Amino acid sequence: MNWILPREAVVVAVKTETPDTKTLTLRLRNSHERLDFKPGQFNMVGLPGIGEAPITFSSPSGNETFQHTVRAVGRVTRALTALKGSDVLHVRGPFGSGWPEDEAVGKNLLIVAGGMGMVPLRPFLLHVFENRIKFGRIVVLYGARTPDDMLFRDEVTVWAEQADTKVLLTVDEVPVGSTWTGPTGVVTELFDHPGVLLDDALALTCGPELMMRFVVRGLLLRQFPASRIYLSLERRMRCGVAQCGHCQIGPKYVCQDGPVFCYTDLRGWPDTLL
Amino acid sequence: MVEPFAPGILSKEALDARLDALLKEYEIVAPVNRRGQAHFSKIIEISEIEWGYSSSVIPPSKVIYQAEQLLMRFVNQDGSYLVVEQHPPSRQRILLGVHPCDIHGILVLERTLVGRWQDSWYAGERKRSLIIGLNCQNPGPDCFCSSFGTGPFYAPWMGQGPPEGCDLFMTELMSGYLIETFTEAGRRLLEGSELTKPTDSDLVEKDERHKKTLDQFTKHLNTDGLDALLNRHLEHPVWERVGEDRCLSCTNCTMVCPTCYCYDIVDRAQLDLKTILRWRRWDSCQDQHFAEVHFGNFRPSRKARLRQFVCHKLSYWMEQYGCYGCVGCGRCIHWCPTGIDLTEIAAEIRREEIRL
Ligand SMILES: Cc1cc2nc3c(=O)[nH]c(=O)nc-3n(C[C@H](O)[C@H](O)[C@H](O)COP(=O)(O)OP(=O)(O)OC[C@H]3O[C@@H](n4cnc5c(N)ncnc54)[C@H](O)[C@@H]3O)c2cc1C
Ligand code: SF4
Ligand code: SF4
């Protein structure tokens, strides 16, 4: 099929995650079709007359339904977060590289997420928990602006109870009246907690690019090998297939070579915050 | 009579007669003079063709890859949208008189648009276009294809080139046109024309004309290790100086470049509000909003945008596609209102590196 032609998907359920973020559970309208994807890949999600936006899968592959978690920041994302059950939208994909699933096998994993950055990491973590024995220790560091901006709170609590898993949460600020008792400060401050930086680990990070800058630098400063740091980037995209040109960073197409990159492949190119 | 696919000579009169006949069957798009500039346009008469043109405003690759393309329609049917794909026309047409640099431009552009993912509209427009190339004997002051080897005479370059890229190929000589046939479709275009076998002196004349044309170039670019050179100097002061002092972000350079492919996708509702049209249209890395996202802009400065254009053409392309993204046509230099010249930028960086 021509990659630019969208397919219809039906909204099965809508869950409000935070005041501006919703998770849509979707299924392809044509029940004979399935969407197979890897954690970290994305769809172009859109509505006729409004447009399309690149949106990561927030659920793992292999089910009849799939999920997208969308934060309303502009034209398309506002329209997507306004959808209700049984509404129809358009998807095309999957596109892009995923997290390095094979390389992660047998290693300790350091997951560093900031705000919406947990969205692409969630399907990867769910995959890891489903295949728990294939991986070493898991450390999840998750920072958000305020406690209310933290996504998937119920699930995060469950992850923390898994074997050989450490979950540390932090927020930038605590609004008055909040029940938050955890630490405050940027996510990189959690690096020096005991048991966070392990040998033979792979670091996977996603969040605002400025946050990832500090994550990368914080890790390198602590002798974490650059070739073991993976990050997922956000750029403007119109096609998803390395043609519209918007997402380029030096010779890299974020839509095709990424959005998940090994840090060594991005190092040195201009026009990033890394 | 010459063997099919062997080079042959066609007199000027015989060529005109053949083109006249083809014009009854095909749409022919050729360089014509409009207000002093060569433009690839649909011709009505053979006499309109400007055979000796130097460079056209819009490159032939962008006759194939159009500025605006309707991709699909969404037709509202009880709240759900039917997607109706828009197909390109299939009627064959001829692109006539395409210079070697521009044929290479088409082949470079194709590495993006019909690579791993195919743009079916570009592929369709390309398929219906028969290409008749013409060796260039009139390089302009901004041309530097000879530095790359993409011209002025057609030759293989970076894994592309003859027999790929055109159906027929012509060189103007004293005795008429030396014609090389590269495809079966090209051979059929000439059916019924009397080609004569080129003499040794015809072939010597071709070489001499090639040498004479090479001597006319005034602009040169040292391409030796150019991609690596630029990659070493992504923070060179030339970007800031030229970008901020001179670039107007007018996007001319990207509009006229034969290899620029960037596009935007826009939806427009028709007046009945029941049908929505989704268009693809050229975009430009020189546009201020090109790399903007909701939380900021990754290339907010003209410095960053100019560096993107020049380094993409002369460096990044190599890693992406295994060839340069510039074919030396000189259009971006010619049409830049402030005369920004990527060969001068590259030369300045090289001079400094040698000095250090
Ligand atoms: C690989 C990838 C995965 C992503 N995954 C997710 C996800 O899972 N969930 C999620 O919520 N988001 C995700 N995003 C981000 C999401 O794609 C953007 O938030 C979205 O594209 C914004 O589109 P919009 O139409 O809502 O906003 P727009 O209306 O495009 O507006 C966003 C801003 O962009 C600028 N802008 C856009 N177009 C123009 C223009 N023509 N001229 C000038 N300025 C313009 C403006 O500053 C505007 O405020 C992802 C992005 C990428 C690249
Ligand atoms: S970069 Fe300039 S000289 Fe090179 S092909 Fe494009 S328009 Fe021609
Ligand atoms: S044509 Fe010249 S002024 Fe215009 S955007 Fe290109 S480099 Fe800048």
Side-chain angles (χ1 to χ4, degrees):
Chain A
M1 197 177 102
N2 191 340
W3 56 267
I4 205 161
L5 297 177
R7 290 191 270 183
E8 285 184 318
V10 184
V11 180
V12 177
V14 181
K15 179 171 179 246
T16 301
E17 302 282 356
T18 74
D20 61 4
T21 305
K22 290 190 178 160
T23 296
L24 307 175
T25 304
L26 306 163
R27 108 184 123 63
L28 290 180
R29 190 156 198 202
N30 181 344
S31 53
H32 303 296
E33 293 182 6
R34 285 279 288 253
L35 211 57
D36 288 313
F37 53 88
K38 292 194 294 183
Q41 287 193 298
F42 66 94
N43 258 334
M44 294 299 293
V45 184
L47 291 161
I50 294 171
E52 296 179 310
I55 305 285
T56 335
F57 291 96
S58 71
S59 63
S61 186
N63 304 310
E64 203 178 312
T65 59
F66 55 95
Q67 292 180 316
H68 284 306
T69 301
V70 184
R71 184 167 148 222
V73 299
R75 198 171 141 83
V76 175
T77 47
R78 261 198 297 271
L80 292 176
T81 48
L83 293 174
K84 306 267 181 304
S86 73
D87 282 348
V88 174
L89 52 74
H90 281 170
V91 297
R92 53 184 183 87
F95 298 124
S97 63
W99 297 106
E101 280 177 291
D102 294 339
E103 207 193 323
V105 171
K107 298 208 176 64
N108 296 315
L109 298 175
L110 173 62
I111 309 288
V112 190
M116 282 295 287
M118 188 51 102
V119 175
L121 286 162
R122 176 184 178 230
F124 180 77
L125 274 167
L126 293 176
H127 162 82
V128 167
F129 287 127
E130 194 133 299
N131 301 274
R132 190 64 193 86
I133 48 163
K134 290 213 255 168
F135 302 90
R137 269 191 72 80
I138 300 168
V139 178
V140 179
L141 310 181
Y142 187 20
R145 210 165 47 82
T146 72
D148 283 345
D149 292 311
M150 211 157 256
L151 301 176
F152 318 123
R153 279 293 285 281
D154 302 349
E155 278 178 46
V156 172
T157 317
V158 176
W159 299 342
E161 289 158 5
Q162 304 287 311
D164 258 351
T165 305
K166 182 197 279 290
V167 177
L168 298 174
L169 310 178
T170 180
V171 295
D172 295 346
E173 50 187 275
V174 184
V176 247
S178 168
T179 56
W180 181 260
T181 53
T184 57
V186 291
V187 76
T188 42
E189 283 171 21
L190 302 174
F191 284 168
D192 296 319
H193 277 242
V196 167
L197 292 188
L198 304 166
D199 286 339
D200 197 27
L202 216 57
L204 313 184
T205 180
C206 185
E209 201 152 305
L210 206 56
M211 175 211 98
M212 291 197 277
R213 172 196 184 92
F214 291 111
V215 168
V216 169
R217 288 170 189 222
L219 288 174
L220 294 178
L221 216 67
R222 292 168 178 82
Q223 319 312 321
F224 201 95
S227 62
R228 293 218 169 173
I229 304 174
Y230 285 84
L231 10 84
S232 179
L233 296 193
E234 178 176 344
R235 285 294 181 279
R236 187 143 161 180
M237 290 175 192
R238 287 295 183 257
C239 65
V241 299
Q243 287 188 353
C244 81
H246 287 85
C247 71
Q248 291 174 91
I249 299 176
K252 308 295 178 195
Y253 286 100
V254 175
C255 67
Q256 182 175 275
D257 305 319
V260 176
F261 287 96
C262 180
Y263 175 63
T264 48
D265 290 332
L266 291 173
R267 201 167 38 186
W269 299 118
D271 310 327
T272 76
L273 304 176
L274 297 173
Chain B
M1 196 57 192
V2 296
E3 301 273 308
F5 293 98
I9 298 275
L10 201 58
S11 71
K12 182 87 187 110
E13 297 70 39
L15 177 68
D16 280 354
R18 188 67 211 136
L19 290 175
D20 243 340
L22 288 173
L23 197 49
K24 297 198 174 67
E25 250 181 277
Y26 293 91
E27 175 183 321
I28 298 184
V29 178
V32 300
N33 192 316
R34 297 257 145 86
R35 282 180 251 111
Q37 293 297 340
H39 284 269
F40 272 85
S41 309
K42 194 176 149 178
I43 57 166
I44 300 165
E45 282 173 28
I46 298 303
S47 61
E48 288 178 82
I49 302 169
E50 192 188 341
W51 290 103
Y53 82 107
S54 168
S55 170
S56 62
V57 181
I58 297 293
S61 57
K62 285 180 165 175
V63 173
I64 303 172
Y65 176 45
Q66 288 161 7
E68 285 213 316
Q69 172 69 55
L70 179 60
L71 300 177
M72 64 194 88
R73 289 164 201 278
F74 300 105
V75 185
N76 193 335
Q77 287 186 332
D78 316 318
S80 159
Y81 281 95
L82 184 72
V83 184
V84 186
E85 193 177 354
Q86 198 68 23
H87 295 283
S90 56
R91 187 174 170 236
Q92 292 243 295
R93 64 166 170 200
I94 296 172
L95 290 188
L96 175 67
V98 182
H99 282 168
C101 62
D102 284 336
I103 299 181
H104 279 294
I106 292 169
L107 295 172
V108 171
L109 182 63
E110 257 160 44
R111 294 191 191 209
T112 306
L113 293 181
V114 284
R116 179 167 151 213
W117 302 87
Q118 175 147 325
D119 181 303
S120 62
W121 293 272
Y122 177 88
E125 290 289 347
R126 174 72 174 90
K127 195 162 158 233
R128 78 183 187 99
S129 308
L130 297 165
I131 295 177
I132 303 183
L134 173 70
N135 272 333
C136 175
Q137 302 188 34
N138 183 21
D142 295 316
C143 297
F144 58 103
C145 64
S146 61
S147 299
F148 278 114
T150 48
F153 277 35
Y154 197 35
W157 175 73
M158 307 214 124
Q160 62 179 47
E164 210 194 345
C166 60
D167 298 279
L168 284 178
F169 201 84
M170 317 199 292
T171 310
E172 190 183 354
L173 299 178
M174 252 142 48
S175 56
Y177 284 89
L178 176 72
I179 304 213
E180 292 159 89
T181 308
F182 292 131
T183 67
E184 176 57 27
R187 194 190 63 76
R188 263 185 275 122
L189 289 180
L190 286 182
E191 242 161 23
S193 297
E194 275 294 312
L195 271 77
T196 56
K197 199 164 181 273
T199 61
D200 286 349
S201 74
D202 286 330
L203 299 177
V204 170
E205 185 192 342
K206 182 187 173 190
D207 282 348
E208 278 167 358
R209 283 175 178 255
H210 186 191
K211 285 196 200 89
K212 210 175 126 214
T213 312
L214 283 171
D215 287 343
Q216 293 174 42
F217 282 84
T218 50
K219 194 175 285 297
H220 300 279
L221 171 67
N222 180 350
T223 62
D224 188 29
L226 187 56
D227 49 333
L229 176 81
L230 292 187
N231 288 351
R232 285 194 297 275
H233 294 281
L234 296 170
E235 295 305 331
H236 194 280
V238 73
W239 304 120
E240 170 96 28
R241 201 185 66 241
V242 179
E244 297 302 318
D245 291 358
R246 285 165 63 194
C247 181
L248 311 172
S249 296
C250 69
T251 77
N252 274 8
C253 46
T254 53
M255 298 294 112
V256 296
C257 177
T259 69
C260 274
Y261 51 80
C262 292
Y263 61 74
D264 197 5
I265 295 180
V266 285
D267 285 5
R268 292 181 199 136
Q270 278 192 325
L271 285 178
D272 65 2
L273 296 180
K274 283 209 175 103
T275 310
I276 285 158
L277 308 182
R278 180 161 288 173
W279 292 82
R280 182 195 66 199
R281 63 170 189 215
W282 296 348
D283 204 343
S284 169
C285 63
Q286 298 308 293
D287 182 282
Q288 188 186 343
H289 303 294
F290 188 79
E292 195 168 60
V293 294
H294 62 95
F295 55 83
N297 188 337
F298 287 101
R299 286 189 209 99
S301 65
R302 282 170 294 175
K303 163 198 165 183
R305 294 195 293 274
L306 183 70
R307 175 177 57 195
Q308 172 63 20
F309 175 69
V310 176
C311 291
H312 192 204
K313 299 292 162 182
L314 301 181
S315 157
Y316 307 156
W317 217 286
M318 193 62 98
E319 182 176 328
Q320 293 175 327
Y321 302 105
C323 66
Y324 286 111
C326 173
V327 294
C329 74
R331 287 185 179 89
C332 60
I333 304 167
H334 192 82
W335 295 103
C336 178
T338 65
I340 295 175
D341 181 337
L342 75 176
T343 68
E344 281 172 12
I345 292 174
E348 177 174 341
I349 291 174
R350 196 181 289 274
R351 272 198 305 276
E352 210 135 306
E353 181 156 285
I354 292 165
R355 201 173 331 130
L356 288 175

